[in-house]
Amino acid sequence: MSAVPLTSAPRPRRIAPAAAPLEVVATRPQRRSRPRAVYAIATVAGVFGILLTQLLLSIVLSDGAYRITALEAQRIELDRTAQMLTEDLNVLDSAQNVAANAESLGMVVSTVSPAFLLLSDGTVQGSPRPAGAGSGVLDGRGDLVGNVLLTDVPLVTPATTGGASAAASGESPAPSSPGSLASAPSAPAPAGALPSPVTR
């Protein structure tokens, strides 16, 4: 045998296998704690419910604001009406209008000296005389200041004395202007009785 050097065949290189990707395996409690689709749907539904509630609240508040504006406008209109009625009441409540209406109902201003009745012994002090028809506010008022607001205000007329008879005859029972004579004769009162006022 000959000596042949033995050469060893090269060993094949081992290729390291590719490393498998690592992933974390969740434990059972972790899998249970993961959110599910039910929770997501409930959350989205809650958000939509909140948005819908806000929308309804804004609609109700805007409707209330419109109502408040309408009521304020109505209050302003009622305040104006109240002011107009107060002005009309002040015109009718003036001393000239009250005196003219009193004279149109038959009352006159007495310019003579007053007489007094003493209730303790029934005596009369002073000299009582009847007042004349021309001594009233409507007739002899040259020294009074005229009230322009009373030019279109009609005077009150008595319903029993001049109202029915004047309506039957077609005449006006009392003048409509405070400048003319309006003293109407009143019906005589029965003996021993006080005359009763005419009310409406």
Side-chain angles (χ1 to χ4, degrees):
M1 279 204 321
S2 64
V4 177
L6 287 175
T7 57
S8 61
R11 286 186 179 175
R13 291 180 116 189
R14 250 189 212 179
I15 299 173
L22 297 176
E23 64 180 58
V24 177
V25 178
T27 61
R28 182 174 293 173
Q30 288 176 343
R31 282 196 301 263
R32 287 182 184 168
S33 66
R34 285 182 183 171
R36 296 180 183 172
V38 176
Y39 301 129
I41 291 171
T43 304
V44 171
V47 169
F48 277 116
I50 291 172
L51 291 176
L52 184 63
T53 305
Q54 284 184 343
L55 180 64
L56 291 177
L57 282 176
S58 65
I59 290 173
V60 169
L61 289 177
S62 63
D63 185 41
Y66 286 130
R67 283 186 183 175
I68 288 173
T69 304
L71 289 176
E72 284 180 354
Q74 185 179 3
R75 182 187 59 83
I76 291 171
E77 189 65 31
L78 289 176
D79 285 343
R80 288 179 186 161
T81 305
Q83 287 177 357
M84 289 170 50
L85 292 176
T86 303
E87 290 175 3
D88 291 343
L89 181 63
N90 289 337
V91 168
L92 296 175
D93 197 25
S94 65
Q96 290 175 343
N97 188 35
V98 171
N101 281 318
E103 189 174 348
S104 72
L105 292 174
M107 301 175 82
V108 292
V109 178
S110 176
T111 57
V112 297
S113 62
F116 300 99
L117 175 65
L118 293 177
L119 296 178
S120 60
D121 55 358
T123 59
V124 178
Q125 289 186 348
S127 58
R129 290 190 305 250
S135 63
V137 176
L138 298 179
D139 205 21
R141 61 179 188 151
D143 57 343
L144 295 178
V145 178
N147 192 348
V148 181
L149 298 175
L150 293 175
T151 55
D152 295 333
V153 177
L155 295 176
V156 177
T157 57
T160 57
T161 58
S165 62
S169 64
E171 299 175 355
S172 62
S176 60
S177 64
S180 60
L181 181 61
S183 297
S186 59
L194 292 175
S196 61
V198 177
T199 59
R200 295 177 192 252

